[in-house]
Amino acid sequence: MSVDYGFPSPGPLIDVHVNLSRWPFRRLPDDEPERLVARLKQHGVKRALASSFDGLLHLDIGAVNRRLVAECAEFGQGILTPIGALNLSLPNWEADLDWCARTSAVRGVRIWPGYHTVPLDDPRFDSLCRLCAERGLLLQIVLRLEDARTEHERFTSTVVETAPLSAIVDRYPGLNVVLINPGRDLRPAAAGELAKAGRVFFDIGMIEGAEGLIKYLQYVPAEQMLFGSHLPFFYFEAASLRLYESNPGEQVLKMITYENADRLLARS
């Protein structure tokens, strides 16, 4: 049963940003897979792209991804789609990507460059983009997970400079990129320039303020905006209310909440 916010229902939802396992520094309300899936079903989510918080600190990423696929199969109820974790600072990241590409359940990979200190102008990132384009993997780039003021003093992130991405997506036209939580560090005008460069998409998880989404839509085509809840780190309702209160219109709501992601996944 989905929640009624008093707005016209856009229909089914696809959530492009959820995580399994535990946030390293505190327990979160829905950090058990059963509870997370129940929350998604409560809000009408038909599909959710799930990676694992273990990808942030664990050194054995292969084991992280095997657990992820197993948990999605056991608890996902047909909703959870695995998005493999990658850490480009580790020496075996190509093997981890190869495993993801050969595993039919996995539709893409997710990286955290601000935490793993591999900038987007690093040759390893260029290689990742080439491999994702060649092997038909969706690439999710997490720009931020939390406000810098609340980060643990031993686990602080750097701002991800996204400017190099324009040339890369132009070089690899088969590449599909989703920028996760762009709103805190990526201004709408800069996002618009990236949107023009190629198949770059943006989720709404950290696009804050009553006019935040409207400002983004002035620069980024609605066809390149996606719904991401950042569950379980954020409450699901935060993304929903942010989207509906901006009142972009019923057709744009349908595009952001379902249609754009559905087309994107059909290409990946």
Side-chain angles (χ1 to χ4, degrees):
M1 179 179 178
S2 61
V3 176
D4 181 8
Y5 295 106
F7 297 97
S9 172
L13 281 162
I14 295 178
D15 189 336
V16 301
H17 183 212
V18 305
N19 281 282
L20 299 183
S21 195
R22 302 276 171 79
W23 178 246
F25 305 109
R26 69 176 186 273
R27 292 299 303 270
L28 302 172
D30 294 312
D31 63 7
E32 296 286 352
E34 304 96 324
R35 291 175 62 88
L36 183 138
V37 170
R39 185 74 63 193
L40 292 168
K41 291 179 67 176
Q42 175 190 4
H43 292 280
V45 174
K46 303 303 181 185
R47 192 171 187 182
L49 306 189
S51 195
S52 173
F53 280 139
D54 293 346
L56 291 169
L57 293 175
H58 287 218
L59 299 181
D60 187 350
I61 298 297
V64 170
N65 288 330
R66 290 190 293 274
R67 287 195 301 273
L68 170 70
V69 170
E71 290 182 353
C72 286
E74 181 176 357
F75 302 106
Q77 300 183 41
I79 294 175
L80 297 180
T81 295
I83 299 293
L86 278 187
N87 183 345
L88 297 183
S89 70
L90 298 177
N92 63 340
W93 71 264
E94 293 98 336
D96 294 326
L97 182 138
D98 180 67
W99 185 89
C100 291
R102 291 185 291 103
T103 304
S104 59
V106 179
R107 300 301 300 275
V109 293
R110 184 178 295 174
I111 63 171
W112 297 265
Y115 299 86
H116 296 152
T117 63
V118 177
L120 303 193
D121 59 358
D122 189 289
R124 289 169 291 183
F125 178 72
D126 187 277
S127 296
L128 169 64
C129 291
R130 174 179 55 82
L131 290 169
C132 285
E134 291 174 354
R135 308 198 69 170
L137 288 170
L138 177 68
L139 174 59
Q140 293 192 333
I141 305 171
V142 180
L143 300 187
R144 181 170 292 280
L145 286 172
E146 63 177 324
D147 190 309
R149 295 169 294 182
T150 66
E151 290 181 333
H152 192 283
E153 62 179 4
R154 298 294 182 91
F155 190 67
T156 58
S157 62
T158 60
V159 174
V160 180
E161 298 293 342
T162 57
L165 191 57
S166 292
I168 293 174
V169 296
D170 182 65
R171 188 154 59 246
Y172 304 119
L175 180 65
N176 293 302
V177 177
V178 178
L179 295 182
I180 299 293
N181 291 343
R184 177 77 56 161
D185 299 310
L186 185 61
R187 299 299 182 188
E193 292 303 310
L194 288 174
K196 294 175 185 176
R199 293 187 57 77
V200 181
F201 299 80
F202 308 82
D203 93 326
I204 69 167
M206 279 191 175
I207 297 178
E208 298 174 343
E211 297 294 324
L213 180 59
I214 296 302
K215 291 176 181 177
Y216 248 72
L217 288 170
Q218 291 173 358
Y219 294 91
V220 177
E223 292 84 354
Q224 288 171 258
M225 299 296 299
L226 304 168
F227 181 89
S229 69
H230 196 2
L231 191 72
F233 193 90
F234 283 173
Y235 290 110
F236 189 96
E237 291 84 353
S240 294
L241 290 172
R242 184 180 302 120
L243 175 64
Y244 295 129
E245 286 179 347
S246 67
N247 195 23
E250 184 174 356
Q251 183 54 44
V252 172
L253 278 175
K254 289 180 179 179
M255 294 167 68
I256 294 174
T257 55
Y258 185 84
E259 294 175 355
N260 296 340
D262 188 50
R263 284 194 294 267
L264 178 60
L265 290 169
R267 294 174 60 104
S268 300

